[in-house]
Amino acid sequence: MRPGATADIVGIARDLVERAGRPVADEYRLRFRAAFRRLASPESAAPRPALGQGVRLMAFKPYVILHRYDRPRATVFVLRVLHGRRRLAVDAP
C-alpha cells in the first residue's frame, strides 16, 4: 500500500468513528480488507489510463480504490482510497 492510500484509510477511519461511531468504522475496515483481496484479480476493476499507466479503479461506495497490478511480480499496489465525489488524481508512481 502506498503512503497516500495509507493516509487516506487512516483519515476515513477517523472520520467514520467521529461521524458514525466505532462499530461502523470497524465494519468498513472489514469491507476494505475484503475489497483489497479482490484486487488481486486485475479484471475486477476498470482500467483508468487517464490516471496513469496501469491504473485501475474499483468502486467501493461511497469510495473508490485506485490501484496498479504488477503482473510480473503478482503484486497489487493500492495508490489511493478516495471519496467517489472527489476529483480523482494519482500522485504516486
Side-chain angles (χ1 to χ4, degrees):
M1 191 167 307
R2 298 290 189 197
T6 299
D8 294 337
I9 291 172
V10 168
I12 289 167
R14 285 183 183 153
D15 186 59
L16 286 170
V17 168
E18 284 180 22
R19 293 175 184 258
R22 171 80 48 203
V24 171
D26 288 344
E27 177 63 27
Y28 266 88
R29 181 179 50 83
L30 295 174
R31 291 180 55 216
F32 270 121
R33 284 186 181 175
F36 293 150
R37 284 192 296 272
R38 288 193 307 274
L39 295 178
S41 173
E43 296 76 28
S44 68
R48 291 294 189 254
L51 297 174
Q53 183 178 353
V55 174
R56 292 182 168 268
L57 180 145
M58 174 185 273
F60 182 79
K61 291 185 180 183
Y63 306 101
V64 294
I65 301 170
L66 298 171
H67 64 286
R68 183 175 291 122
Y69 180 73
D70 183 333
R71 193 174 299 276
R73 290 193 269 174
T75 303
V76 175
F77 296 99
V78 177
L79 306 172
R80 299 295 308 265
V81 180
L82 304 171
H83 195 282
R85 291 187 177 180
R86 184 172 169 178
R87 182 186 158 159
L88 300 180
V90 175
D91 56 9

